[in-house]
Amino acid sequence: NAGVTQTPKFQVLKTGQSMTLQCAQDMNHNSMYWYRQDPGMGLRLIYYSASEGTTDKGEVPNGYNVSRLNKREFSLRLESAAPSQTSVYFCTTTGYYEQYFGPGTRLTVT
Amino acid sequence: GIQVEQSPPDLILQEGANSTLRCNFSDSVNNLQWFHQNPWGQLINLFYIPSGTKQNGRLSATTVATERYSLLYISSSQTTDSGVYFCAVDSGGSNYKLTFGKGTLLTVNP
């Protein structure tokens, strides 16, 4: 029972490159979320998926797209990376109330 | 949207000391959680506590929903308690979208 897994753990991109962050959960939860964490800013919601087949914008969605591939997987895509997207990205899931975090992806855009 | 303020922003303790962390929120909530982020970046859920009091070992939490604040108590602190403590709230709806405070950085010295 791995909980929430994320790949990759680290990534360095050049401005303008694209990449997809992968997230998978084996907790059989309906809801999944992507947050970014920046120094002094706490965590901010990028996108979320309340159930398979649905996605909605969070607080800071610009520059990102998401796909809820199935109940287990929720991916985050950066189409054209910018230095402002340098951050640590967390995928989370929730069954009813408590949120469970993945280990995070540390992304640097140069 | 709902505002979440945590205090103090930083706290330094000697091992064995007790501490209280505070979380104020600007609107009524139906979900409040406390998280601990360890020095390696992993986020762990400590409490789901929209109201009332809970205890788990040396940690306890109290939320006074009518006065819009929550307190996290750490007793007999240990160096492994070091890290950032986040409070997060959700003010309604069924999507469990959390708004995070900026955290309290706790350093426990041996």
Side-chain angles (χ1 to χ4, degrees):
Chain A
N1 188 344
V4 184
T5 58
Q6 292 183 236
T7 56
K9 287 186 168 50
F10 302 94
Q11 183 71 47
V12 179
L13 293 178
K14 294 188 187 309
T15 297
Q17 289 184 317
S18 62
M19 77 162 295
T20 299
L21 283 65
Q22 306 284 357
C23 174
Q25 53 102 0
D26 61 4
M27 307 177 81
N28 201 34
H29 288 165
N30 286 321
S31 299
M32 299 183 73
Y33 310 79
W34 279 103
Y35 289 88
R36 59 178 288 173
Q37 183 179 24
D38 303 292
M41 299 291 290
L43 289 93
R44 293 178 292 170
L45 182 64
I46 305 171
Y47 268 94
Y48 67 99
S49 171
S51 61
E52 185 179 351
T54 68
T55 61
D56 282 290
K57 295 179 180 179
E59 180 185 353
V60 287
N62 291 345
Y64 305 95
N65 286 301
V66 291
S67 296
R68 184 72 183 269
L69 305 171
N70 46 55
K71 190 172 186 178
R72 291 187 63 248
E73 298 171 289
F74 188 37
S75 62
L76 178 71
R77 183 160 178 84
L78 287 71
E79 291 291 352
S80 179
S84 60
Q85 294 178 304
T86 293
S87 188
V88 181
Y89 292 85
F90 288 97
C91 175
T92 78
T93 181
T94 184
Y96 286 99
Y97 301 112
E98 295 183 6
Q99 289 225 349
Y100 298 90
F101 279 76
T105 294
R106 186 173 295 274
L107 175 66
T108 302
V109 183
T110 61
Chain B
I2 192 167
Q3 304 297 312
V4 182
E5 292 187 4
Q6 292 186 243
S7 60
D10 301 277
L11 186 58
I12 300 174
L13 300 174
Q14 287 300 121
E15 203 166 23
N18 302 327
S19 62
T20 300
L21 283 58
R22 187 177 179 101
C23 172
N24 292 332
F25 43 94
S26 61
D27 203 348
S28 59
V29 298
N30 61 4
N31 184 345
L32 187 147
Q33 299 182 43
W34 284 96
F35 297 89
H36 175 226
Q37 185 170 37
N38 66 25
W40 297 270
Q42 180 65 42
L43 278 140
I44 302 296
N45 186 295
L46 297 175
F47 293 104
Y48 162 72
I49 186 165
S51 63
T53 298
K54 289 187 178 179
Q55 181 157 5
N56 184 1
R58 295 180 297 102
L59 273 61
S60 64
T62 295
T63 298
V64 184
T66 53
E67 298 187 20
R68 299 183 183 170
Y69 73 88
S70 183
L71 302 174
L72 178 68
Y73 305 97
I74 305 173
S75 65
S76 303
S77 58
Q78 301 175 359
T79 56
T80 52
D81 295 329
S82 295
V84 183
Y85 290 80
F86 290 102
C87 169
V89 303
D90 174 15
S91 59
S94 60
N95 291 323
Y96 311 121
K97 298 180 295 179
L98 292 176
T99 298
F100 283 77
K102 294 185 178 180
T104 292
L105 175 60
L106 176 65
T107 303
V108 181
N109 292 322

